[in-house]
Amino acid sequence: HSRLFSMFRMLRGRRVAVLVALGDIGDVIAGVAGRLGHMPVRGARSGRAARALAELIHEVRKGRCAAFAVDGPRGPREIVKPGALFVAQKSGCALVPIATASRRKWRLGIWDRHEVPFPFTKTIALMAEPVRVPRHATREEVEEAARRLEATLVTLGARAADKVRRYDV
């Protein structure tokens, strides 16, 4: 979640459907996503969430990629919430864990320690093996997929931060 802006830069021009929370910070994130060519899909924790997830499933089934801050709009930080897993399960598509790191960045003083990369700074992205959620998965299988995704993203994030810090790219 804290590295959305660098992710938007890395995926620039690919017209990715991005789940973005309602509210002030969501307005900023949606604006940046839109300027970089992505399609913001607005949702919230309450009633609008189901409609936003249905819209994302529709977009994925049409062939568009979707992007999520898997720890949700309110955290806790780096704890995977069920939204991305639900979209993967219902669409039949895999989740591709991606973590980015930027050499120089501003950190916003909000709960997720959001990072905004400086212009022209070195930013890298690392991907891991896709995570699949069977269409008829049990609750336990979905929870296991969430734990695997969470562990993978934490490891990838640390590796990306280490690589960009050492310029080993």
Side-chain angles (χ1 to χ4, degrees), residues 89-165:
Q89 181 181 27
K90 297 304 179 190
S91 68
C93 293
L95 292 167
V96 179
I98 302 173
T100 62
S102 298
R103 176 90 171 133
R104 298 181 63 229
K105 65 228 169 232
W106 291 283
R107 285 191 194 265
L108 304 182
I110 56 179
W111 71 269
D112 66 352
R113 296 183 231 149
H114 211 92
E115 298 175 1
V116 179
F118 285 6
F120 311 108
T121 193
K122 181 181 289 281
T123 299
I124 65 167
L126 298 178
M127 295 188 301
E129 290 294 318
V131 174
R132 295 199 177 273
V133 182
R135 193 173 297 268
H136 301 289
T138 64
R139 176 178 288 226
E140 291 78 24
E141 290 171 322
V142 172
E143 289 171 358
E144 174 57 29
R147 284 191 295 273
R148 280 195 327 265
L149 179 60
E150 203 172 279
T152 299
L153 286 169
V154 168
T155 301
L156 273 182
R159 281 184 43 219
D162 186 53
K163 281 184 173 288
V164 82
R165 187 174 28 258

Side-chain angles (χ1 to χ4, degrees), residues 53-90:
L53 291 175
E55 187 176 340
L56 279 172
I57 291 166
H58 178 73
E59 292 299 323
V60 169
R61 285 180 176 160
K62 288 185 347 188
R64 187 184 303 271
C65 292
F68 297 84
V70 294
D71 52 6
R74 296 186 185 143
R77 212 172 150 265
E78 297 182 348
I79 302 298
V80 172
K81 301 297 185 305
L85 298 158
F86 178 77
V87 171
Q89 181 181 27
K90 297 304 179 190

Side-chain angles (χ1 to χ4, degrees), residues 25-57:
I25 191 68
D27 292 343
V28 172
I29 292 169
V32 171
R35 277 191 221 83
L36 291 173
H38 304 303
M39 184 184 109
V41 175
R42 303 301 297 270
R45 226 178 204 187
S46 57
R48 178 75 177 107
R51 212 167 37 196
L53 291 175
E55 187 176 340
L56 279 172
I57 291 166

